[in-house]
Amino acid sequence: MNHTCPSDNTENVDQSSFWSSGNLNWDQHRIGWAIAGGCAVLTVIISMISVLRHCRHYTKPNEQRQILRILYMPPVYAVISFFSYRYFRSYTYYSLIEVSYEAVTLSAFLLLLIEFVAATATDGDATKAIERKDKRPLPLPFCCWRYRPTKPYFMYTVKWSVLQYVIIRPAVSIAGIVCQIYNVLCESGPYSIYFANVYLEVVDFVSISVALYGLLLFYGLTKEELVGRRPLAKFLCIKLIVVFTFYQSFIFSALEGRVIKATEYWTAGNIADGLNALAICIEMVFFSLLMMWAYTVDEYKMVTTKTTGIWRPLWESINYWDFLTEIWGSFKFFFNRSPGSSSGKKADFAQAFGVGGRSVEDGDRSTEESMRLAPYPYSNTHNADSASPVLS
């Protein structure tokens, strides 16, 4: 039997342009192109406003660097979706790149929650943040097992469960791009064991399921400490983007050949992909506004603190060294606990809880020290009435 993946595109290519015989040549595709581009630009503007406001009031770097990473999600999705609509013959490549950023936002959200919980601890002591939590059963479907929240293995397991997605999702996308180049991915073709798409989707499904389970586990444990920080609204901003993009893609794909018909220049798959990309561009306008509300800068504004420079926050938001540190710290912990390991060093709960492999208390001190000593944008003085640094 010959197992060949059908082509995603037609052989005929539309050679016309916007300008035809001196007049605007507006068809449905070009109208969608204009709408997608306009919505993408609007999303970038709204998100840029949110990002710059946080940069100008960058008073809690450990929290706000994660917030900036999350705020990038709507413009990343909108811009890539616009290009996938414009260059629809390469749609698969763009979609594989786009979905990779979901892993970044989920990981950033977990580290943000950890910072929120640490802020409620007495004297910044991580062990006091959840010391009242007793041994309890895991959420469904693993409720037969119990765990102790104050043990180091719990925090390392939660972190690894989410941060593994930062490794797996980009790896799946890279594998998908390679498979698409060799025409063995067949993302828009039949769902068959003879093509790579089915295996990559299984790996991605397991990976994101583990990540979401880890997030829900930590949220369920610390929801009392998170009161007043809008954790559910913040999470829904991320999850709704994922849900909308997934289910509308499924619906458009289901309509191929039934409601959506092929044309001379576009296959039914091209049209379904284009409708999905157009919908994403439109939706990201509303999600960028929703994120502006959920991740408000108001709680970071301090009357006694001057505005901060934008370059340091922007750099820290795209510097993913903290992700690598957390991944390595979790891996090292489990390696040291493995049978036959000769390492006798034990990690305490504060070290497991603290972002970047440090205790929360040490992390706060190092952050304050770096802000105090950094030549830009922070000054060498502190306001007498506030623990937050002020600017020269």
Side-chain angles (χ1 to χ4, degrees):
M1 180 179 290
N2 183 23
H3 303 289
T4 304
C5 182
S7 176
D8 294 333
N9 304 302
T10 61
E11 293 184 5
N12 296 330
V13 179
D14 186 4
Q15 301 292 341
S16 63
S17 62
F18 272 116
W19 295 94
S20 180
S21 301
N23 298 316
L24 283 176
N25 180 22
W26 289 95
D27 57 12
Q28 294 93 328
H29 176 65
R30 291 182 173 85
I31 292 173
W33 184 3
I35 294 174
C39 289
V41 170
L42 186 56
T43 298
V44 170
I45 292 173
I46 295 171
S47 298
M48 188 181 297
I49 292 172
S50 298
V51 166
L52 291 179
R53 291 181 70 192
H54 275 281
C55 289
R56 299 299 284 169
H57 300 278
Y58 199 61
T59 54
K60 294 183 179 179
N62 285 351
E63 294 181 11
Q64 287 176 280
R65 78 176 61 161
Q66 310 302 341
I67 291 176
L68 291 177
R69 291 166 177 169
I70 295 170
L71 290 175
Y72 295 152
M73 191 178 190
V76 166
Y77 269 59
V79 170
I80 295 179
S81 292
F82 166 73
F83 281 107
S84 68
Y85 185 96
R86 170 63 182 87
Y87 303 103
F88 62 91
R89 288 177 170 268
S90 301
Y91 178 88
T92 299
Y93 299 112
Y94 287 108
S95 64
L96 288 170
I97 296 171
E98 178 183 271
V99 75
S100 295
Y101 199 77
E102 177 190 352
V104 175
T105 56
L106 288 178
S107 299
F109 184 70
L110 173 68
L111 299 185
L112 178 63
L113 290 185
I114 292 174
E115 294 293 345
F116 283 167
V117 173
T120 67
T122 305
D123 300 325
D125 186 351
T127 58
K128 295 179 181 179
I130 55 176
E131 65 179 358
R132 295 170 296 177
K133 312 294 182 180
D134 297 324
K135 193 172 184 179
R136 59 188 63 203
L138 289 167
L140 290 172
F142 304 109
C143 51
C144 295
W145 287 276
R146 297 167 65 85
Y147 70 97
R148 193 179 298 277
T150 54
K151 293 294 184 180
Y153 75 83
F154 167 73
M155 281 308 305
Y156 281 121
T157 303
V158 168
K159 287 181 179 180
W160 180 249
S161 68
V162 178
L163 289 168
Q164 54 81 25
Y165 194 48
V166 173
I167 301 173
I168 301 298
R169 180 59 255 184
V172 168
S173 291
I174 293 171
I177 290 172
V178 173
C179 291
Q180 178 69 7
I181 292 173
Y182 288 97
N183 199 33
V184 294
L185 179 65
C186 210
E187 187 177 41
S188 60
Y191 203 67
S192 170
I193 61 172
Y194 298 104
F195 301 113
N197 187 53
V198 61
Y199 303 105
L200 295 180
E201 287 199 358
V202 168
V203 172
D204 181 54
F205 176 78
V206 172
S207 181
I208 192 175
S209 297
V210 171
L212 291 175
Y213 189 85
L215 271 177
L216 293 174
L217 173 63
F218 188 75
Y219 171 74
L221 176 69
T222 60
K223 58 184 178 181
E224 294 177 359
E225 287 76 15
L226 295 172
V227 171
R229 305 305 295 267
R230 297 178 181 169
L232 188 57
K234 288 178 168 65
F235 179 67
L236 284 178
C237 288
I238 301 170
K239 195 55 193 170
L240 285 177
I241 292 177
V242 178
V243 170
F244 270 66
T245 55
F246 174 80
Y247 282 106
Q248 72 193 18
S249 176
F250 175 80
I251 292 172
F252 288 134
S253 296
L255 295 177
E256 290 180 27
R258 299 176 176 86
V259 177
I260 300 175
K261 304 292 186 180
T263 66
E264 181 183 0
Y265 299 117
W266 298 282
T267 64
N270 289 151
I271 298 174
D273 292 341
L275 289 172
N276 185 48
L278 177 60
I280 291 174
C281 289
I282 296 172
E283 291 159 359
M284 290 308 109
V285 175
F286 300 98
F287 278 116
S288 60
L289 290 170
L290 182 60
M291 282 195 174
M292 179 182 285
W293 168 78
Y295 294 91
T296 177
V297 74
D298 293 341
E299 58 188 283
Y300 298 102
K301 289 182 178 179
M302 296 185 179
V303 177
T304 58
T305 304
K306 297 180 182 178
T307 56
T308 56
I310 66 172
W311 300 114
R312 184 188 182 107
L314 291 176
W315 164 247
E316 291 187 352
S317 68
I318 61 174
N319 179 7
Y320 294 102
W321 184 253
D322 54 335
F323 280 18
L324 297 176
T325 303
E326 290 300 331
I327 292 171
W328 171 249
S330 298
F331 175 80
K332 186 177 179 181
F333 171 79
F334 289 115
F335 178 79
N336 290 338
R337 284 175 58 93
S338 63
S341 174
S342 59
S343 175
K345 185 178 179 181
K346 280 187 164 184
D348 59 15
F349 179 77
Q351 183 181 8
F353 194 95
V355 175
R358 304 181 305 271
S359 68
V360 172
E361 187 175 6
D362 291 341
D364 288 344
R365 282 201 299 266
S366 73
T367 299
E368 182 177 346
E369 186 70 11
S370 66
M371 293 170 72
R372 182 174 64 83
L373 297 177
Y376 179 82
Y378 305 103
S379 73
N380 293 329
T381 59
H382 282 75
N383 189 293
D385 299 324
S386 173
S388 299
V390 296
L391 307 182
S392 55

